[in-house]
Amino acid sequence: MNKSNIKQWFKAAGVRAIKTVAQTAVATIGTSAAMGDVNWALVGSASVLAGILSMLTSVAGLPEVPETPEEGE
């Protein structure tokens, strides 16, 4: 993997992780009956953990980033 692919991987993996964090936060907040009932520590820890797991899962491969250099590189 060349330097360009590494940058591309970090960008794609980062975008996926951010989306995962946001989705987890929304889902966790949605389980509360009212905003006053939200356990913010749980929302934060679950969301951060989801982001870390997303980055680790991305190590297996991302369809947005080619495994081999494209023609002309």
Side-chain angles (χ1 to χ4, degrees):
M1 194 181 263
N2 64 25
K3 209 177 219 182
S4 174
N5 281 8
I6 292 171
K7 281 179 149 178
Q8 195 177 10
W9 183 89
F10 272 107
K11 183 177 179 181
V15 167
R16 281 181 173 229
I18 290 168
K19 288 180 180 181
T20 300
V21 167
Q23 291 167 344
T24 302
V26 168
T28 308
I29 292 168
T31 61
S32 299
M35 285 302 284
D37 295 334
V38 176
N39 182 341
W40 292 106
L42 175 66
V43 172
S45 64
S47 299
V48 168
L49 179 59
I52 292 168
L53 292 175
S54 175
M55 290 296 287
L56 292 173
T57 302
S58 294
V59 171
L62 292 169
E64 300 91 341
V65 181
E67 293 285 326
T68 57
E70 298 191 10
E71 300 254 344
E73 289 187 24

